[in-house]
Amino acid sequence: MQENSTLKKGKGQVHLFRCGKAFLALDVNSDTLIEISAETYDILKNVNQLGELSLSEIPQANKEVFNELLTLYQEEALYSPPLVYPAEYPPHLQGMCLLIEGRCNLACSYCFVRNKTASKRLLAMNSEKARGAIDFLFQNSPYEEMEVDFFGGEPLLNFPVLQDTVYYGNKKALEEGRKINFTLTTNAILLTPPVQEFLIDNRIETVLSLDGSEETNDLYRLNPQGKGSYKTVSQNIKEYLSKNPPPFYIRGTYTSQTLHFTDSAQYLFNEGFPVVSMEPVVGKKHSFALKEDDLPEIFRQYELLSQWYLEERLKGRDITFFHFLLDPMRGPDLKRRTGGCGAGREYIAISPEGDIYPCHQFVGETGFILGNLSEGLKNIELRNRFIALDFSTKDKCLQCWARFYCSGGCHANHYFANDSIYLPDDLECALLKKRLEWALWIKARLKQSD
């Protein structure tokens, strides 16, 4: 058997998948993506199963196809060797989440913050704590550019502190020759003209919560009196959009009772919102969480959305579905590809009391307190666990074809699903891999149209 006429799997990995009538192959290590014929699909499937395949074993009609695959193989674009990646990551902070307000002016039934704090007194962060958090970030970050996210509850209920924090942070950054990028996650109820002007003047990027049409949104996104939020939120966002604001996107949520997220995404795009995300409620402890029985319908929804989205993009429509963005999920940095979620390593969250957590989803989980603003990062053992977390520390991820896209996934979601930051949730992984396949299909089709 001649070496140069044999396809060998070796330690390489090629993921084969179908989207509609299309056959695709992704080389996991090199990120080579090709749309292939059914015959090529069968050849590569045999290599995956048998470990190797030679030219002499191929029918005459398929020898030309096989030779094309051999060329890609010899160029290390198929079954490419494993990547060498760093085993350790520098624990340098680059960003933080400030939970500046525990209260909310809505009572969304699926809200993880509301469900976690229902029996607790909800606090607001004062300016002293917020300024102390900014000081902590500057003291512990070596980067010229940093990120601060305002989160809640509803952060705009504490707008004076938010304003003061932005002014203080920008002043400090100017003095030190550095920069802070501020972001805000809000339900948009208080997105009034004065607030809009402040956000625009200070280039604050926003995540705006809206689930879709009035009927869909008002199933869950209600005020404490049980009335829907759609009309106020939609009007405020449209007014904000008319002022050419800094980058923002609409974040919708879908549950086991509202699986028709394709309709919701299309509705939001057609309302004039150019960037949309539809996020699932996951976690075994949540009454609205998706179930395994929901997967066939969710997969159908991704197919419907992908086909519609591709058609719109090919027409020249400038829209973006957040989960079809592949480059930001990977980037050129191998550390980002393998390290993934930076919670507890390069990103932390600060509670209103000044306690430090790995990220905002852990706030209130006392077993995950890393320290506090007055004493610093004291729980070194926990911090080191998060610093070391990547897909190589999660057994389920080691041979997963999607590992360089999700990089081990969300540590918080894993914990709330399985009581372990090392054990990914099977259902969440299934969702991620399915939407990745459709995102790759879109990428291949858009490339063909260039």
Side-chain angles (χ1 to χ4, degrees):
M1 185 182 298
Q2 294 183 0
E3 184 76 17
N4 61 4
S5 65
T6 302
L7 278 175
K8 290 188 175 183
K9 180 180 177 182
K11 294 184 179 180
Q13 187 177 7
V14 171
H15 174 61
L16 301 171
F17 61 103
R18 294 185 63 177
C19 286
K21 296 180 180 180
F23 296 84
L24 296 105
L26 172 73
D27 185 78
V28 173
N29 291 324
S30 71
D31 196 32
T32 301
L33 174 66
I34 52 175
E35 188 166 346
I36 56 180
S37 65
E39 293 77 16
T40 306
Y41 185 93
D42 288 338
I43 291 172
L44 292 174
K45 185 177 178 181
N46 283 332
V47 176
N48 282 347
Q49 291 174 344
L50 302 173
E52 64 178 61
L53 200 63
S54 69
L55 181 62
S56 61
E57 299 172 278
I58 301 298
Q60 184 64 37
N62 292 336
K63 287 188 182 297
E64 183 177 349
V65 170
F66 190 83
N67 282 325
E68 291 174 356
L69 291 176
L70 277 174
T71 298
L72 290 172
Y73 174 69
Q74 290 158 3
E75 293 172 351
E76 295 191 342
L78 283 179
Y79 300 108
S80 59
L83 297 166
V84 177
Y85 57 88
E88 297 181 356
Y89 309 95
H92 298 319
L93 289 181
Q94 189 165 17
M96 64 167 48
C97 173
L98 297 185
L99 200 143
I100 66 168
E101 178 59 68
R103 298 171 302 153
C104 189
N105 46 6
L106 290 183
C108 305
S109 45
Y110 54 56
C111 177
F112 76 91
V113 175
R114 176 173 177 260
N115 291 329
K116 283 171 61 176
T117 59
S119 61
K120 301 177 183 178
R121 185 165 63 94
L122 301 177
L123 300 176
M125 183 178 287
N126 59 37
S127 289
E128 181 184 0
K129 283 284 193 300
R131 288 187 175 205
I134 296 294
D135 291 340
F136 183 88
L137 181 60
F138 274 86
Q139 291 163 7
N140 289 274
S141 176
Y143 298 102
E144 291 185 4
E145 194 165 329
M146 297 163 288
E147 178 180 324
V148 172
D149 306 326
F150 294 110
F151 201 76
E154 172 47 53
L156 292 181
L157 286 171
N158 200 0
F159 187 53
V161 170
L162 188 154
Q163 286 180 298
D164 180 78
T165 307
V166 170
Y167 293 142
Y168 181 78
N170 283 337
K171 180 175 181 292
K172 194 173 184 69
L174 184 62
E175 292 171 349
E176 297 195 12
R178 297 206 264 176
K179 180 183 178 182
I180 296 182
N181 296 313
F182 289 100
T183 66
L184 165 69
T185 298
T186 175
N187 60 33
I189 291 290
L190 296 177
L191 193 63
T192 59
V195 172
Q196 294 173 20
E197 297 304 324
F198 175 80
L199 298 178
I200 292 170
D201 290 345
N202 289 277
R203 302 296 302 166
I204 297 175
E205 299 185 10
T206 50
V207 180
L208 306 166
S209 297
L210 184 65
D211 285 354
S213 67
E214 182 171 4
E215 179 183 6
T216 299
N217 183 83
D218 289 353
L219 281 174
Y220 302 117
R221 301 193 66 80
L222 306 172
N223 66 21
Q225 291 74 45
K227 296 187 180 297
S229 61
Y230 175 86
K231 290 180 179 178
T232 300
V233 170
S234 179
Q235 179 179 335
N236 286 349
I237 294 176
K238 288 179 178 178
E239 181 180 351
Y240 185 52
L241 180 59
S242 71
K243 298 177 180 178
N244 191 29
F248 75 94
Y249 72 89
I250 304 296
R251 185 195 190 281
T253 299
Y254 69 95
T255 75
S256 57
Q257 279 79 50
T258 54
L259 297 177
H260 54 283
F261 62 83
T262 295
D263 291 340
S264 296
Q266 290 176 354
Y267 177 88
L268 292 169
F269 283 128
N270 290 334
E271 284 292 289
F273 307 131
V275 185
V276 171
S277 170
M278 296 301 302
E279 303 290 345
V281 175
V282 294
K284 294 182 174 65
K285 298 177 182 179
H286 204 301
S287 59
F288 295 101
L290 304 181
K291 305 179 292 295
E292 188 173 349
D293 291 345
D294 296 326
L295 287 177
E297 177 57 25
I298 294 171
F299 292 171
R300 190 180 79 88
Q301 290 291 319
Y302 273 118
E303 180 172 4
L304 291 173
L305 178 57
S306 300
Q307 292 172 342
W308 177 86
Y309 181 80
L310 177 65
E311 289 176 5
E312 296 301 304
R313 289 290 304 274
L314 290 175
K315 292 175 186 175
R317 191 172 179 186
D318 188 15
I319 56 174
T320 300
F321 185 66
F322 196 77
H323 288 304
F324 292 158
L325 284 174
L326 293 175
D327 290 342
M329 297 170 68
R330 292 172 63 93
D333 184 3
L334 184 58
K335 170 180 166 290
R336 169 63 180 156
R337 292 179 65 187
T338 55
C341 175
R345 180 176 65 242
E346 58 203 42
Y347 186 81
I348 56 173
I350 312 296
S351 74
E353 303 92 336
D355 288 330
I356 303 172
Y357 293 85
C359 81
H360 65 283
Q361 291 200 63
F362 285 112
V363 172
E365 301 290 325
T366 55
F368 285 91
I369 295 178
L370 292 167
N372 57 68
L373 292 176
S374 60
E375 297 181 349
L377 294 164
K378 305 295 284 187
N379 193 339
I380 303 304
E381 186 275 332
L382 179 62
R383 178 88 193 285
N384 287 339
R385 285 170 60 196
F386 276 93
I387 289 171
L389 270 178
D390 63 19
F391 73 71
S392 70
T393 61
K394 301 179 180 184
D395 291 342
K396 282 187 177 181
C397 303
L398 287 173
Q399 293 303 315
C400 175
W401 69 266
R403 62 186 181 274
F404 291 130
Y405 284 97
C406 81
S407 307
C410 172
H411 309 323
N413 283 352
H414 299 167
Y415 173 74
F416 291 114
N418 294 319
D419 295 317
S420 171
I421 58 176
Y422 298 99
L423 188 61
D425 178 30
D426 289 339
L427 189 144
E428 186 184 357
C429 291
L431 292 179
L432 172 75
K433 287 187 280 192
K434 181 55 65 176
R435 70 191 188 206
L436 274 175
E437 288 182 342
W438 282 107
L440 289 163
W441 173 78
I442 291 168
K443 177 183 177 180
R445 288 297 169 91
L446 288 176
K447 186 176 180 180
Q448 289 175 4
S449 70
D450 289 342

